Amino acid sequence: SAESFQFFSTWGSLPPMSNARRSHTATSLFTTGLGDAGQTPVLVAGGQNASGTIVSGAERYEPSSNQWVSANNMYTAVSGHTATQVTAGTNQYDVFIAGGWDGSNSQRTIQRYDRDTAAWSYVGALPNFKQNHTATLLSDSKTILWAGGVYLPGPTYYNTAYQYNTDSGANSSSTMWNSRALHQATPYSSGALVVGGYNGTTLDAAE
């Protein structure tokens, strides 16, 4: 099932998705800033179905028709991944999905969803296998910072962050103070603020 919430209002029921799923992503497909968020399509991608199988299927909620429509199959089936829409540059309004779990191993894949054509493509690879990491769109609106994460089976927790320019494909790595997965990150100044998580111990650390 799906539902929507209006500011200063109540929850309203929406039509159910075509497929039950968990550990997926949901990304608003904005085209001109925030605009009218109530009329913005939403891309749902990957995850696990009711039997626990990792799925490659994606679907899109179209508020104008109040319907779910197919958004084709991802390049790689994953769950526990991240999905980020970039709002500037040559890939403006496309969605970049990184990492995740394919049912056997953590993944390095970076894949792109073209908002206009609904086509999926492979665009690169992370330096480390990652799942349960975070993705933060930086202030230039076209560079994504992927931070932390865990490799399974293992587990191996990472203290690496990976900055990726979606225009050029240029990338750079940096070292975080703490290895962590299952944390949270939010844009902060020209970078990101990362808090909490788990690396064998539940963390109170922020950086």
Side-chain angles (χ1 to χ4, degrees):
S1 65
E3 49 193 305
S4 65
F5 177 78
Q6 301 295 324
F7 287 120
F8 311 114
S9 187
T10 58
W11 290 91
S13 179
L14 296 176
M17 295 185 295
S18 302
N19 298 283
R21 61 181 82 215
R22 64 181 186 266
S23 299
H24 52 287
T25 52
T27 311
S28 295
L29 299 177
F30 295 118
T31 54
T32 52
L34 289 178
D36 182 358
Q39 295 301 312
T40 301
V42 176
L43 175 70
V44 172
Q48 302 178 47
N49 64 17
S51 64
T53 301
I54 310 299
V55 298
S56 61
E59 51 191 304
R60 195 174 65 244
Y61 174 69
E62 295 289 349
S64 59
S65 61
N66 194 32
Q67 291 181 329
W68 291 91
V69 300
S70 173
N72 299 317
N73 287 332
M74 304 165 67
Y75 179 84
T76 301
V78 285
S79 69
H81 51 286
T82 59
T84 311
Q85 187 191 40
V86 298
T87 54
T90 57
N91 296 295
Q92 187 177 34
Y93 306 132
D94 291 348
V95 176
F96 286 77
I97 283 181
W101 168 258
D102 70 356
S104 299
N105 292 283
S106 298
Q107 291 295 298
R108 298 173 57 201
T109 305
I110 304 170
Q111 44 191 318
R112 178 173 66 91
Y113 174 77
D114 187 307
R115 188 194 187 283
D116 294 328
T117 66
W120 291 89
S121 59
Y122 170 87
V123 295
L126 297 161
N128 300 118
F129 297 87
K130 286 183 183 292
Q131 68 180 99
N132 298 325
H133 53 292
T134 54
T136 307
L137 184 65
L138 300 183
S139 56
D140 67 356
S141 300
K142 61 183 179 182
T143 300
I144 303 171
L145 179 71
W146 289 296
V150 61
Y151 170 74
L152 293 174
T156 300
Y157 296 93
Y158 290 113
N159 65 347
T160 54
Y162 181 54
Q163 188 170 306
Y164 178 80
N165 184 295
T166 57
D167 273 2
S168 64
N171 60 82
S172 61
S173 297
S174 56
T175 302
M176 302 165 63
W177 282 98
N178 296 277
S179 59
R180 62 179 88 212
L182 299 169
H183 50 286
Q184 296 294 323
T186 189
Y188 181 77
S189 185
S190 60
L193 175 68
V194 176
V195 294
Y198 183 81
N199 62 5
T201 300
T202 301
L203 300 170
D204 60 4
E207 51 188 298

